Amino acid sequence: MTVRKLLAAMVLVGSALAAPAHAASSPSDVMELQRASAYLNSLQTVQGNFVQLSGDGRTARGTFYLKKPGRIRFEYDKPNPTLIVADGSTVAVQNSALHTTDRYPLGNTPLRLLLTQVDLANDPHVVSVQHQPGALSVTAEEKSGAASGRVTMNFADTGNTLQLSHWDVVDAKGSRTTVSVSGLHSVSDLPPQLFAIQDLSPFKKSER
């Protein structure tokens, strides 16, 4: 999957999990969604690893850094030239091989799921909550528009705590992408320069 398609998948996550006023189907569903929201909201300054698996079998790996509010950095392992950085208001996708920097408003991407407060129990797009020993999954659906499709957020569940393990996105054409995260841990602080956007294409109008 290209970075542009990954961002489209991420937009699906954001659109499916960002709207107001939903009533979950049962009290137990509400409780599980509240637990998932509380966990996501607890992530403040963290570091971890990610593996991106595309439907065609291609794999990309890297490290990510998160600092609320509004800052995240996805560093792809070399030789992948991609870097994704959010500085609090803008998301930039940089390609060091092509010397390009494409910018997007942070509010138009699902990165706010990790970078702002969420309330999954009051989201109208949630269509399924599955809880079994050791695992919790939440599926949301967007039925129309450019971001139509389904996303499933998967959490490891010890009974006392949750931890995000991976998410699966299926777009309107049936293409599936899985992004797994591991090694999540809190850190005392992260240097501001990690979230500074460097314009690799200063003489080219940024894509909006």
Side-chain angles (χ1 to χ4, degrees):
M1 170 175 279
T2 66
V3 172
R4 292 182 185 277
K5 289 184 177 180
L6 174 60
L7 283 177
M10 293 169 69
V11 168
L12 167 62
V13 179
S15 63
L17 297 178
H22 164 70
S25 60
S26 71
S28 62
D29 287 349
V30 172
M31 182 183 69
E32 298 302 343
L33 291 170
Q34 289 174 339
R35 291 181 66 214
S37 297
Y39 164 73
L40 291 171
N41 292 336
S42 74
L43 300 177
Q44 294 294 320
T45 306
V46 299
Q47 180 177 336
N49 305 310
F50 70 91
V51 178
Q52 175 188 316
L53 177 63
S54 303
D56 60 7
R58 287 182 295 174
T59 300
R61 302 173 183 272
T63 304
F64 72 92
Y65 308 86
L66 178 152
K67 184 176 182 179
K68 290 183 178 177
R71 297 170 178 83
I72 200 165
R73 178 185 179 97
F74 289 91
E75 285 185 6
Y76 286 74
D77 291 346
K78 294 181 179 180
N80 192 316
T82 304
L83 174 67
I84 300 175
V85 180
D87 65 0
S89 61
T90 300
V91 180
V93 181
Q94 300 179 342
N95 186 310
S96 59
L98 299 177
H99 302 285
T100 57
T101 301
D102 296 328
R103 298 171 183 261
Y104 307 85
L106 180 59
N108 289 354
T109 77
L111 293 176
R112 61 176 175 264
L113 184 65
L114 294 174
L115 300 179
T116 63
Q117 298 295 106
V118 297
D119 182 5
L120 302 182
N122 288 309
D123 189 294
H125 294 86
V126 172
V127 296
S128 175
V129 181
Q130 300 292 329
H131 188 217
Q132 53 188 332
L136 172 67
S137 65
V138 179
T139 299
E141 182 175 22
E142 180 65 37
K143 295 183 178 180
S144 62
S148 60
R150 296 172 69 93
V151 58
T152 300
M153 305 289 291
N154 300 277
F155 304 86
D157 186 0
T158 67
N160 295 319
T161 60
L162 295 176
Q163 185 164 13
L164 181 64
S165 60
H166 64 283
W167 61 84
D168 300 291
V169 175
V170 180
D171 66 20
K173 296 182 179 180
S175 178
R176 179 183 295 272
T177 301
T178 299
V179 179
S180 301
V181 295
S182 63
L184 292 176
H185 62 280
S186 296
V187 294
S188 58
D189 199 8
L190 291 169
Q193 56 266 32
L194 281 178
F195 311 105
I197 297 175
Q198 178 184 2
D199 195 346
L200 302 182
S201 51
F203 302 109
K204 176 182 176 182
K205 184 178 180 180
S206 298
E207 179 178 332
R208 302 289 178 178

